[in-house]
C-alpha cells in the first residue's frame, strides 16, 4: 500500500447554493457540488409527537429521500451522520418539547454525497433562522490507488479510490464534528485528510459568508 | 406535524373574492400559473414548477419477468412520493389517502390510456421484459399536485432512454451508455391532466387551483386529454352535481390548455436535446437562477495544501500512542477464557456479598432442603474463617471498617466451597433424572 505522497487534485468542484426556494418549509436550500445536487427543507420548531418529546430540548428528525425507491440502510446511516452533526451545532435546548424536521432530497448523485447533504443541511438551517452554536460544512476526501488525496471526488473517482472519508467541520475552531470513513488508511493519511479538509472548509465557510452577505444586501 | 388549519376569515375572504371573480394571485379564471420544465443531469429526470408547486419525476428501468397473463408486454410502475418536504402534513413512509389517490390517478392517466407502447418493452417473450418505474416526488405543495405530477411524469418518460439490449440465442446482453446509445421509449401520445375546481356548489369555476383555493373548494373535476383532443380520463370528486354543459365547457377549456402545455413540453425536450448535442452542461446545477440574491455560485477552487503534511505529522507526533494494557485473560477452568466482570478480584478488598449472591443464583430452585442446610453450614464456616483473618482496628463502633490481610486464603476457600456446592447441586439433579 502506498502512503500519501503528493496532493495534486486538491480542488473543490464549482459549488452553488440557493436558499428559500421552496414556499412551504420554514427554511429551504439546494446545494450543488459539481453535478451532485441536494435539496433540503426544515420545519420547526413545531409541535412534537408525545412519543418523541424530549423534556429539555427539541427533537431533531432527519429524513433523507432517495431518488428511486424507498429509503434503505444507506440512507439511514447518512441520516444518522447528518443528525448527530446538526444536534451538535444547533442550540436545541432553546426549544424544549418541540420538533425540528430536516428533510434532504437527493436530486443527483455524482460523488461526495454526504458532504453535500451536510452543506445543504447547514444552509437550510441558516435559512430557517434556527439558533446555532456554530456553522458546519462537510468535506469528502478520497485517497486513490497512487496515494493522492482528492477532495470533493466525483462518483468515478470515489469508485477508483482506496479510502473515502467525510468530515463535518465546525466554523469556530475548525474541529472535526463527525467523521465517516470507508476503506483502509493509516493514521498519517487520516490526519493529512483532516488537515486538507480543514483547509477546504475555509473556502466553504467563505462561501457561506458571501452568500449570507449577498442575501442581506440590496444589490446583486 | 399537523398542517395549519385555514381560519374562518381567510375562508370567507377567499370565497368572497371568488364570487367577485378575483383570485388571490391576480390570475384570471382560466389562467394557469407559470409552468417551468427543467431536466436533470441524467436521462429521465424532470422538474416541473407550477407556480410555487414543485414536482420531480425520475424514470428508471429494470429487466424483470413479465406478468403471467401478459407475457410479451413491459411493465409500467408508478410511485408517488409525498415527501414531507412538500408539506408538513405529509409523513414519510406512510401511504396516506392522498398519495394513494394521486398514484391511482397517475396510473389511470398514463398506463390505462395506453400512451406508452408496452409491447416494445418486451425482450424475451414470457421471460424478460423492461419494467419502467416512474418515481414522482412532490417537493413543494402549493396546490394542483396532480397536474404538475402528470406533466412531470410524461415529460420524464419522453426524456428517458433505456439501455440497448441484444439477444443472441438465449443470451441477453445489456449495453451500457458508453457502448451503445440508449433508446427512447415509444410514446403514442401525451395525456395531460387539467384540474377544475368548483365553488358554491358548482356556481364558480377556477382552473389550476392553488393550495388555498383547494382548501375552500367544493368539488374538483380532472380531465386528462392529449393534443388530439381525446379524453384519456375524467374524474369528478367532492360530490358536486355538474351539468352536462359544465362538463362540456371544461373539456373545451382543457383542450386549449393541453395544446399549450404539450407545445411547452415538446419545446423543452427539444431545447434539452440540442443542449446535450452541443455538449453543454445541463441539469439541476445549471438551472439554478443567477439573478437572485438568495442564490450564489462559486467556481472550481483550489485548496491551499502547502503545510498540510507538516501539520498532519505534527499531530501524529504529538498524540501519544495509547498504553498497551491488554488484560491478560484468566483461565478459570481448562478450555475457558474470560476477561472482565465475575473473575477473581484483583483489587484490595474482597466483596463477599457478591460472591454469596452468585452462589445463591447458581443454586437450583428445585433444590431440596438438604442442600440448603449444607449451604448454611458452609456459610457459617466461611464467616468463621473470615473472622480469623480479619484484623480488627478497634472495638465495637468501627466494626464495619475492616482491613483484610493482603494474602488472605479466603477467596480460594470460598471458591473451593462454592464449587463443591455446585458439584453437590449437579449431582442432585442427576439423581432426579
Amino acid at each position: 500500500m502506498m502512503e500519501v505522497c503528493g496532493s495534486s487534485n486538491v480542488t473543490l468542484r464549482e459549488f452553488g447554493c440557493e436558499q428559500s426556494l421552496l414556499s412551504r418549509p420554514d427554511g429551504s436550500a439546494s446545494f450543488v457540488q459539481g453535478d451532485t445536487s441536494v435539496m433540503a427543507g426544515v420545519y420547526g420548531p413545531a409541535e412534537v409527537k408525545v412519543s418523541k418529546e424530549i423534556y429539555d430540548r427539541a427533537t431533531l428528525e432527519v429524513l433523507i429521500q432517495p431518488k428511486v425507491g424507498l429509503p434503505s440502510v444507506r440512507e439511514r446511516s447518512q441520516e444518522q451522520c447528518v443528525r448527530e452533526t446538526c444536534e451538535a451545532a444547533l442550540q436545541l435546548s432553546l426549544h424544549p418539547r418541540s420538533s425540528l424536521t430536516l428533510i434532504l432530497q437527493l436530486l443527483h448523485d455524482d460523488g461526495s454525497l454526504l458532504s453535500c447533504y451536510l452543506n445543504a443541511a447547514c444552509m437550510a438551517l441558516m435559512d430557517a433562522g434556527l439558533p446555532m452554536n456554530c456553522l458546519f460544512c462537510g468535506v469528502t476526501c478520497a485517497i486513490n490507488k497512487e496515494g493522492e488525496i482528492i477532495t470533493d471526488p466525483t462518483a468515478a473517482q470515489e469508485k477508483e479510490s482506496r479510502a473515502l472519508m467525510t468530515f463535518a467541520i465546525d466554523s469556530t475552531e475548525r474541529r472535526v464534528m463527525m467523521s465517516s470513513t470507508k476503506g483502509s488508511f493509516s493514521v498519517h493519511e487520516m490526519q493529512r485528510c483532516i488537515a486538507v479538509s480543514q483547509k477546504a472548509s475555509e473556502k466553504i465557510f467563505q462561501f457561506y459568508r458571501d452568500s449570507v452577505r449577498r442575501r442581506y444586501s440590496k444589490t446583486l | 406535524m399537523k398542517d395549519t388549519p385555514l381560519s374562518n376569515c381567510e375562508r370567507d375572504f377567499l370565497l368572497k373574492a371568488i364570487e367577485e371573480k378575483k383570485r388571490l394571485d391576480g390570475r384570471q379564471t382560466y389562467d394557469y400559473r407559470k409552468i417551468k420544465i427543467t431536466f436533470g443531469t441524467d436521462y429521465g429526470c424532470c422538474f416541473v414548477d407550477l407556480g410555487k408547486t414543485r414536482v420531480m419525476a425520475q424514470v428508471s428501468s429494470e429487466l424483470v419477468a413479465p406478468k403471467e397473463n401478459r407475457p410479451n408486454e413491459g411493465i409500467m410502475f408508478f410511485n408517488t412520493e409525498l415527501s414531507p418536504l412538500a408539506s408538513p402534513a405529509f409523513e414519510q413512509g406512510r401511504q396516506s389517502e392522498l398519495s394513494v389517490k394521486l398514484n391511482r390517478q397517475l396510473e389511470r392517466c398514463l398506463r390505462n390510456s395506453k400512451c406508452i407502447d408496452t409491447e416494445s418493452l418486451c425482450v424475451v417473450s414470457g421471460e424478460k421484459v423492461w419494467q419502467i418505474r416512474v418515481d414522482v416526488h412532490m417537493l413543494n405543495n402549493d396546490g394542483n399536485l396532480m397536474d404538475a405530477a402528470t406533466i412531470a411524469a410524461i415529460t420524464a418518460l419522453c426524456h428517458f432512454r433505456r439501455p440497448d439490449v441484444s439477444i443472441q440465442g438465449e443470451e441477453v446482453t445489456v449495453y451500457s451508455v458508453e457502448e451503445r446509445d440508449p433508446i427512447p421509449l415509444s410514446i403514442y401520445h401525451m395525456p395531460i391532466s387539467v384540474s377544475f375546481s368548483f365553488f358554491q356548489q358548482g356556481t364558480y369555476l377556477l382552473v389550476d387551483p392553488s393550495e388555498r383555493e383547494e382548501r375552500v373548494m367544493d368539488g374538483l373535476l380532472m380531465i386528462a386529454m392529449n393534443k388530439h383532443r381525446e379524453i384519456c380520463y375524467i374524474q369528478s370528486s367532492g360530490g358536486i352535481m355538474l351539468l352536462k354543459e359544465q362538463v362540456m365547457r371544461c373539456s373545451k377549456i382543457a383542450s386549449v390548455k393541453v395544446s399549450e402545455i404539450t407545445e411547452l413540453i415538446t419545446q423543452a425536450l427539444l431545447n434539452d436535446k440540442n443542449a446535450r448535442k452541443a455538449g453543454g452542461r445541463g441539469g439541476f446545477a445549471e438551472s439554478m437562477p443567477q439573478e437572485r440574491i438568495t442564490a450564489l455560485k462559486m467556481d472550481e477552487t483550489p485548496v491551499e495544501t502547502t503545510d498540510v503534511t507538516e501539520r498532519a505529522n505534527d499531530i501524529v507526533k504529538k498524540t501519544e500512542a495509547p498504553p498497551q494494557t491488554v488484560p491478560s485473560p484468566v483461565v478459570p477452568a481448562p478450555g475457558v477464557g474470560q476477561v472482565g466482570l465475575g473473575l477473581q478480584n484483583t483489587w484490595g478488598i474482597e466483596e463477599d456479598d457478591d460472591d454469596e449472591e452468585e452462589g445463591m443464583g447458581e443454586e437450583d430452585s428445585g433444590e431440596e432442603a438438604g442442600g440448603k442446610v449444607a449451604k448454611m453450614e458452609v456459610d457459617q464456616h466461611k464467616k468463621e474463617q473470615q473472622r480469623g483473618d480479619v484484623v480488627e482496628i478497634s472495638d465495637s463502633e468501627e466494626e464495619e471498617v475492616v482491613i483484610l490481610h493482603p494474602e488472605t486464603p479466603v477467596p480460594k476457600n470460598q471458591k473451593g466451597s462454592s464449587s463443591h456446592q455446585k458439584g453437590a447441586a449437579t449431582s442432585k439433579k442427576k439423581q432426579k433424572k
Side-chain angles (χ1 to χ4, degrees):
Chain A
M1 203 196 284
M2 271 179 80
E3 274 282 301
V4 168
C5 47
S7 39
S8 56
N9 272 321
V10 187
T11 52
L12 294 172
R13 290 177 286 177
E14 72 275 18
F15 53 98
C17 174
E18 189 186 352
Q19 285 183 312
S20 16
L21 72 164
L22 300 178
S23 67
R24 293 304 293 274
D26 298 317
S28 59
S30 72
F31 204 91
V32 174
Q33 284 175 232
D35 278 337
T36 306
S37 30
V38 164
M39 195 179 274
V42 179
Y43 285 101
E47 192 186 345
V48 67
K49 271 190 199 153
V50 181
S51 59
K52 286 178 185 165
E53 188 180 274
I54 305 174
Y55 67 91
D56 61 346
R57 61 193 165 90
T59 311
L60 177 69
E61 215 179 336
V62 176
L63 304 169
I64 290 182
Q65 306 272 350
K67 227 173 161 190
V68 174
L70 295 168
S72 61
V73 179
R74 183 166 170 255
E75 277 76 28
R76 291 268 176 271
S77 84
Q78 288 168 336
E79 274 173 17
Q80 195 185 357
C81 289
V82 177
R83 189 181 60 239
E84 279 166 9
T85 313
C86 294
E87 274 174 355
L90 283 164
Q91 297 191 338
L92 292 174
S93 55
L94 290 180
H95 305 286
R97 295 177 204 273
S98 54
S99 89
L100 292 176
T101 318
L102 170 66
I103 306 117
L104 293 160
Q105 170 73 53
L106 173 61
L107 300 180
H108 187 79
D109 181 7
D110 188 31
S112 319
L113 185 58
L114 186 55
S115 61
C116 197
Y117 278 141
L118 286 164
N119 293 332
C122 186
M123 286 307 244
L125 292 173
M126 256 201 272
D127 185 44
L130 292 168
M132 288 158 96
N133 295 315
C134 59
L135 299 179
F136 57 89
C137 73
V139 183
T140 302
C141 294
I143 302 174
N144 67 8
K145 297 225 164 59
E146 285 76 47
E148 290 168 338
I149 295 178
I150 304 167
T151 51
D152 199 12
T154 61
Q157 285 170 326
E158 276 189 2
K159 223 176 218 175
E160 293 283 297
S161 67
R162 129 169 93 83
L164 196 68
M165 303 172 216
T166 303
F167 302 104
I169 294 174
D170 81 305
S171 61
T172 48
E173 290 171 62
R174 309 275 186 272
R175 282 174 190 270
V176 178
M177 295 173 89
M178 187 277 298
S179 78
S180 163
T181 63
K182 206 173 109 184
S184 62
F185 45 84
S186 69
V187 179
H188 283 265
E189 284 171 331
M190 167 125 167
Q191 287 295 348
R192 219 162 299 179
C193 282
I194 292 177
V196 169
S197 302
Q198 283 168 333
K199 285 278 177 192
S201 74
E202 278 166 27
K203 300 271 175 197
I204 299 173
F205 288 129
Q206 189 55 48
F207 172 78
Y208 283 179
R209 204 162 294 129
D210 289 347
S211 65
V212 171
R213 187 174 296 145
R214 185 179 157 105
R215 241 193 109 167
Y216 294 105
S217 68
K218 284 179 181 166
T219 52
L220 284 175
Chain B
M1 222 191 302
K2 274 179 223 145
D3 216 349
T4 338
L6 198 67
S7 65
N8 280 342
C9 19
E10 216 168 347
R11 183 182 299 273
D12 294 344
F13 172 73
L14 277 165
L15 286 171
K16 210 165 177 202
I18 289 163
E19 272 173 39
E20 290 173 18
K21 308 256 179 221
K22 280 184 184 125
R23 291 176 85 168
L24 220 58
D25 42 12
R27 281 185 286 160
Q28 293 298 311
T29 319
Y30 303 143
D31 281 358
Y32 249 90
R33 286 170 287 180
K34 189 183 150 206
I35 305 174
K36 189 178 148 205
I37 299 172
T38 38
F39 295 98
T41 319
D42 37 6
Y43 281 121
C45 180
C46 172
F47 299 86
V48 169
D49 289 43
L50 182 63
K52 281 177 185 162
T53 298
R54 190 178 272 221
V55 168
M56 176 178 79
Q58 171 71 55
V59 181
S60 50
S61 63
E62 196 186 353
L63 275 176
V64 292
K67 284 178 183 159
E68 274 179 25
N69 51 351
R70 295 185 192 278
N72 46 12
E73 277 187 23
I75 301 168
M76 298 291 301
F77 182 80
F78 292 92
N79 177 37
T80 319
E81 203 71 43
L82 289 183
S83 156
L85 200 59
S87 161
F90 299 161
E91 274 182 57
Q92 196 204 25
R94 227 182 38 197
Q95 282 276 330
S96 66
E97 207 179 313
L98 181 65
S99 82
V100 173
K101 195 177 114 187
L102 280 174
N103 208 20
R104 184 78 200 113
Q105 281 169 354
L106 209 62
E107 276 181 2
R108 280 174 59 193
C109 181
L110 296 176
R111 188 206 282 152
N112 301 5
S113 67
K114 308 254 181 234
C115 64
I116 289 152
D117 181 15
T118 47
E119 281 181 18
S120 72
L121 295 172
C122 177
V123 180
V124 182
S125 176
E127 279 177 35
K128 274 201 164 54
V129 294
W130 284 107
Q131 174 179 275
I132 305 293
R133 183 191 169 107
V134 186
D135 281 274
V136 182
H137 296 268
M138 310 297 169
L139 301 179
N140 199 37
N141 175 19
D142 193 39
N144 207 0
L145 282 174
M146 186 56 202
D147 288 10
T150 47
I151 296 171
I154 194 70
T155 316
L157 281 166
C158 291
H159 189 247
F160 182 67
R161 304 281 186 274
R162 69 173 167 83
D164 196 4
V165 286
S166 74
I167 309 152
Q168 283 175 328
E170 291 283 290
E171 217 169 277
V172 178
T173 323
V174 181
Y175 294 98
S176 65
V177 185
E178 289 80 26
E179 286 170 313
R180 279 196 194 178
D181 279 343
I183 302 165
L185 304 174
S186 58
I187 289 166
Y188 295 136
H189 59 91
M190 294 200 285
I192 285 153
S193 129
V194 178
S195 299
F196 301 89
S197 53
F198 290 92
F199 302 86
Q200 310 280 349
Q201 296 308 311
T203 325
Y204 301 100
L205 175 150
L206 292 181
V207 176
D208 181 24
S210 70
E211 194 255 346
R212 284 292 139 98
E213 287 163 349
E214 273 185 353
R215 283 192 186 206
V216 296
M217 72 184 174
D218 290 328
L220 189 71
L221 180 72
M222 274 189 228
I223 301 178
M225 208 185 257
N226 59 21
K227 67 173 176 191
H228 313 297
R229 303 184 61 162
E230 293 165 333
I231 291 177
C232 299
Y233 96 100
I234 184 162
Q235 171 163 328
S236 155
S237 55
I240 46 155
M241 311 293 176
L242 290 176
L243 298 169
K244 196 174 107 193
E245 289 77 42
Q246 278 176 311
V247 179
M248 288 311 288
R249 196 170 61 156
C250 286
S251 74
K252 267 183 200 143
I253 299 164
S255 73
V256 176
K257 295 292 165 201
V258 164
S259 61
E260 277 174 22
I261 295 168
T262 312
E263 188 59 35
L264 177 75
I265 293 174
T266 43
Q267 196 58 47
L269 283 165
L270 192 71
N271 281 349
D272 184 70
K273 201 176 164 190
N274 290 339
R276 268 167 210 267
K277 224 180 227 170
R281 273 173 46 96
F284 185 79
E286 293 307 300
S287 72
M288 217 161 71
Q290 288 300 299
E291 67 284 357
R292 290 198 194 152
I293 53 165
T294 50
L296 183 63
K297 256 192 121 167
M298 209 151 122
D299 291 330
E300 193 168 321
T301 45
V303 179
E304 185 67 40
T305 53
T306 40
D307 59 336
V308 160
T309 319
E310 291 83 65
R311 249 186 89 184
N313 289 345
D314 255 23
I315 293 170
V316 175
K317 255 182 231 162
K318 270 182 210 159
T319 43
E320 290 166 27
Q324 298 276 327
T325 49
V326 181
S328 53
V330 181
V331 184
V336 179
Q338 213 179 334
V339 175
L341 198 76
L343 283 182
Q344 204 166 8
N345 204 340
T346 48
W347 291 46
I349 301 161
E350 287 296 332
E351 289 163 12
D352 293 338
D353 300 349
D354 282 6
D355 279 21
E356 265 173 48
E357 269 172 23
E358 260 176 47
M360 293 288 267
E362 278 163 13
E363 248 179 319
D364 198 348
S365 56
E367 214 177 356
E368 282 170 41
K372 273 187 184 165
V373 172
K375 160 92 172 145
M376 293 276 272
E377 275 173 17
V378 170
D379 280 357
Q380 267 182 1
H381 176 66
K382 222 191 285 173
K383 270 177 192 160
E384 272 170 28
Q385 262 197 347
Q386 243 178 35
R387 275 282 145 79
D389 299 324
V390 166
V391 180
E392 286 189 13
I393 293 174
S394 70
D395 31 291
S396 59
E397 273 190 62
E398 289 188 329
E399 238 176 14
E400 287 101 270
V401 184
V402 291
I403 297 172
L404 292 179
H405 200 269
E407 284 160 18
T408 46
V410 176
K412 268 193 183 173
N413 276 2
Q414 246 171 268
K415 272 233 157 134
S417 63
S418 67
S419 70
H420 159 77
Q421 203 192 311
K422 236 194 271 176
T426 44
S427 66
K428 274 265 161 66
K429 264 189 246 170
K430 271 177 195 166
Q431 274 176 7
K432 270 185 193 170
K433 276 173 189 171

